[in-house]
Amino acid sequence: MGTPAGTDLNPRTTKYEFYGPPGALFVTVATPFFTYLLYFSCSEETGGCPPEVDLEHVLGALKDPHFYLNLWDAEAAKWYFAWFAFCVAAWAILPARVVEGTLMRDGLKKKYKTNAFSTCILAFCIVAGIIYQQGPEGFTILYRKLLGFMTAALAVSTVQAVHVYASSFQPGKLLTLNGNTGNPIYDFFIGRELNPTIGSLDLKYFNELRPGLILWALICISTLCEQATRRGGWANVTDSMWLTAFFQIFYVVDSMYNEAAIFTIMDITTDGFGFMLSFGDLVWVPFTYSLQARYLVFEQVELGLVYTALILGLNSLGYLIFRQANSEKNDFRNGKNPRNLAYLTTKRGSKLLTSGWWGRSRHPNYFGDLLMALAWSLPTGFETPITYFYVIFFTFFLIYRQERDDAACAEKYGDDWETYKQIVPYRIVPYVY
Ligand code: NDP
């Protein structure tokens, strides 16, 4: 039976986020534009970071249709499509543990195949085989053709967003509580259907980790290979490059290893799958987050032992907070409380941790993530603020995300959320914010 928009199960959304349809339209148009802008603002092709170009030259290039045609690279697109197909095939074929998601409004729980980690390891093994056979120059394609890969990813993410928006009107779909306004611009952006699928492939969960996040790690490996090729071997790769690449690759591998933890995050439990997540997962994350590693290919920084140790320490601290906080909540939401942490039982029945990391701030996991973000930029030195883009963007992003989550929890838990806020007054950074 169908569950049409406006029924009890799929109520109309009456509140807008992201400043409503104008905000949604702005983000939809501006983020792809900004991704290209960021690429050209920090790139060898344009003379560095920031680039050495005069305005007349830029305007001339923008008027030339070849500029736009050159954003498309048939070879890069072919490899990108192959990569996407590889991720789907690995999801279908590799052995997997089946994990239940959280309870949905329709009283059902989704079942997910968790084999992102083995997909990642398989991809790494293939890349290691290529590098072993051909040397570091064998895997520089991602660095050298990044623009082409970016355009192909943008094409796939847009097609995917259009597809999930159109198919959300088929009968029987469970829509999100925040993406059923009836305004096509807004709903297309935020995502209308909670869990769009093709066959048994859940698109939101698939996109969340695999094709974008693993690609981000592969881009970092490619930047390492490019620097090793230019500097005449692995032994000459700079400490800053090793650090940045290692931190980001580690973050990706860790996310894959802890794949089951994503089933309690906001993207999976609350948000629909629309342009916001499709673009964010496939384009924004791999192509903007890898900027620091890309920069270090052409601006090679030597940190020395002391700075290396300090940055390593900062990243380790961030990771510890991030991982412990996410594990505490994930264990708790799965009925486990190994450290016997204190909690508040809400009238709704679900419980909120009030000690451990979740007793120090209402989003301790964001705090850890932010410390890591800073550690990923510091190896680039202080020549340009552009390489600090990730940590600056991420700070605003997480502050806004915390506000969104706070509003959602206030609605969900009513007075109990106010009580929780009194017990845990800090939003992200304990004793500061
Ligand atoms: P969280 O994992 O922080 O989850 C928020 C939810 O947790 C709330 O809606 C609530 O849901 C539950 N919750 C809140 N307080 C408590 C409590 N005291 N005890 C138990 N449960 C509680 O949300 P996100 O999805 O935003 O973040 C997940 C991780 O992903 C973070 O580490 C974040 O930094 C990272 N992230 C990284 C991004 C990137 O681009 N690198 C992008 C987005 C996120 P309920 O009560 O319904 O269970």
Side-chain angles (χ1 to χ4, degrees), residues 66-224:
H66 286 102
F67 170 78
Y68 301 97
L69 291 174
N70 288 340
L71 298 179
W72 179 258
D73 176 330
E75 196 195 347
K78 182 186 77 185
W79 282 113
Y80 184 80
F81 299 146
W83 164 244
F84 203 88
F86 165 84
C87 290
V88 177
W91 164 82
I93 296 165
L94 291 177
R97 195 162 63 91
V98 175
V99 171
E100 268 193 347
T102 53
L103 189 67
M104 298 183 298
R105 289 197 322 281
D106 57 5
L108 302 174
K109 283 185 179 183
K110 284 210 74 162
K111 286 193 164 66
Y112 298 97
K113 279 177 82 173
T114 55
N115 56 9
F117 183 65
S118 44
T119 303
C120 181
I121 297 301
L122 179 61
F124 283 4
C125 287
I126 295 170
V127 168
I130 295 170
I131 296 172
Y132 179 74
Q133 274 220 319
Q134 301 176 20
E137 56 275 27
F139 195 65
T140 53
I141 182 168
L142 268 169
Y143 175 80
R144 294 186 183 178
K145 287 186 170 285
L146 199 75
L147 193 59
F149 276 92
M150 205 156 94
T151 306
L154 177 61
V156 172
S157 71
T158 309
V159 168
Q160 198 172 229
V162 171
H163 166 77
V164 292
Y165 179 70
S167 64
S168 73
F169 290 93
Q170 287 167 5
K173 303 290 187 179
L174 182 66
L175 307 182
T176 58
L177 290 177
N178 57 3
N180 184 19
T181 64
N183 181 301
I185 293 172
Y186 185 82
D187 293 351
F188 168 77
F189 167 73
I190 202 110
R192 203 165 170 270
E193 189 182 344
L194 185 62
N195 296 306
T197 52
I198 294 181
S200 58
L201 178 65
D202 180 301
L203 288 175
K204 185 169 62 168
Y205 128 90
F206 172 77
N207 277 266
E208 188 79 18
L209 290 186
R210 296 148 195 257
L213 227 64
I214 305 176
L215 185 63
W216 172 20
L218 297 183
I219 293 171
C220 290
I221 296 175
S222 192
T223 57
L224 263 173

Side-chain angles (χ1 to χ4, degrees), residues 1 33 87 89 92 94 96 108 148 176 185 197 218 237 239 279 308 318 365 371 396 415 418 420:
M1 273 300 288
F33 171 78
C87 290
L94 291 177
L108 302 174
T176 58
I185 293 172
T197 52
L218 297 183
V237 170
D239 45 12
F279 173 82
T308 301
N365 47 356
L371 292 181
F396 285 107
D415 292 350
E418 286 309 313
Y420 174 61

Side-chain angles (χ1 to χ4, degrees), residues 7 82 84 111 118 143 150 269 277 299 320 388 416 421:
T7 60
F84 203 88
K111 286 193 164 66
S118 44
Y143 175 80
M150 205 156 94
T269 58
L277 283 183
E299 293 294 343
L320 198 85
Y388 286 77
D416 291 321
K421 277 166 73 170

Side-chain angles (χ1 to χ4, degrees), residues 90-405:
W91 164 82
I93 296 165
L94 291 177
R97 195 162 63 91
V98 175
V99 171
E100 268 193 347
T102 53
L103 189 67
M104 298 183 298
R105 289 197 322 281
D106 57 5
L108 302 174
K109 283 185 179 183
K110 284 210 74 162
K111 286 193 164 66
Y112 298 97
K113 279 177 82 173
T114 55
N115 56 9
F117 183 65
S118 44
T119 303
C120 181
I121 297 301
L122 179 61
F124 283 4
C125 287
I126 295 170
V127 168
I130 295 170
I131 296 172
Y132 179 74
Q133 274 220 319
Q134 301 176 20
E137 56 275 27
F139 195 65
T140 53
I141 182 168
L142 268 169
Y143 175 80
R144 294 186 183 178
K145 287 186 170 285
L146 199 75
L147 193 59
F149 276 92
M150 205 156 94
T151 306
L154 177 61
V156 172
S157 71
T158 309
V159 168
Q160 198 172 229
V162 171
H163 166 77
V164 292
Y165 179 70
S167 64
S168 73
F169 290 93
Q170 287 167 5
K173 303 290 187 179
L174 182 66
L175 307 182
T176 58
L177 290 177
N178 57 3
N180 184 19
T181 64
N183 181 301
I185 293 172
Y186 185 82
D187 293 351
F188 168 77
F189 167 73
I190 202 110
R192 203 165 170 270
E193 189 182 344
L194 185 62
N195 296 306
T197 52
I198 294 181
S200 58
L201 178 65
D202 180 301
L203 288 175
K204 185 169 62 168
Y205 128 90
F206 172 77
N207 277 266
E208 188 79 18
L209 290 186
R210 296 148 195 257
L213 227 64
I214 305 176
L215 185 63
W216 172 20
L218 297 183
I219 293 171
C220 290
I221 296 175
S222 192
T223 57
L224 263 173
C225 288
E226 182 69 32
Q227 216 207 49
T229 306
R230 291 184 189 195
R231 291 177 67 99
W234 294 110
N236 301 325
V237 170
T238 58
D239 45 12
S240 57
M241 176 57 108
W242 279 121
L243 269 193
T244 299
F246 168 74
F247 288 159
Q248 302 193 11
I249 294 166
F250 180 79
Y251 186 81
V252 170
V253 174
D254 177 74
S255 310
M256 302 298 142
Y257 186 73
N258 292 289
E259 182 180 12
I262 70 160
F263 301 127
T264 57
I265 74 168
M266 216 162 110
D267 296 1
I268 300 291
T269 58
T270 313
D271 287 332
F273 188 60
F275 183 79
M276 179 176 79
L277 283 183
S278 184
F279 173 82
D281 292 341
L282 296 187
V283 185
W284 186 259
V285 169
F287 295 100
T288 67
Y289 290 10
S290 54
L291 182 136
Q292 302 92 306
R294 204 160 54 73
Y295 170 84
L296 289 170
V297 170
F298 56 89
E299 293 294 343
Q300 298 167 0
V301 177
E302 294 284 3
L303 292 170
L305 215 60
V306 175
Y307 286 118
T308 301
L310 286 174
I311 297 171
L312 201 63
L314 180 67
N315 191 71
S316 307
L317 177 68
Y319 175 73
L320 198 85
I321 298 172
F322 165 83
R323 183 46 57 215
Q324 278 187 358
N326 279 327
S327 300
E328 276 177 6
K329 186 187 60 137
N330 194 45
D331 280 349
F332 195 64
R333 280 286 170 262
N334 287 314
K336 290 180 255 167
N337 186 1
R339 290 181 51 217
N340 211 13
L341 298 171
Y343 56 83
L344 173 87
T345 305
T346 66
K347 290 182 211 69
R348 229 169 160 255
S350 53
K351 294 165 182 156
L352 295 170
L353 285 165
T354 53
S355 69
W357 280 110
W358 297 83
R360 293 185 185 109
S361 82
R362 301 203 293 276
H363 267 106
N365 47 356
Y366 292 0
F367 176 46
D369 228 341
L370 282 172
L371 292 181
M372 284 192 284
L374 180 62
W376 301 350
S377 294
L378 285 172
T380 62
F382 300 104
E383 285 296 312
T384 168
I386 299 176
T387 53
Y388 286 77
F389 156 76
Y390 176 61
V391 64
I392 296 166
F393 154 77
F394 207 43
T395 304
F396 285 107
F397 173 84
L398 289 181
I399 288 175
Y400 187 59
R401 195 171 169 94
Q402 185 277 326
E403 282 173 14
R404 284 185 72 212
D405 192 47

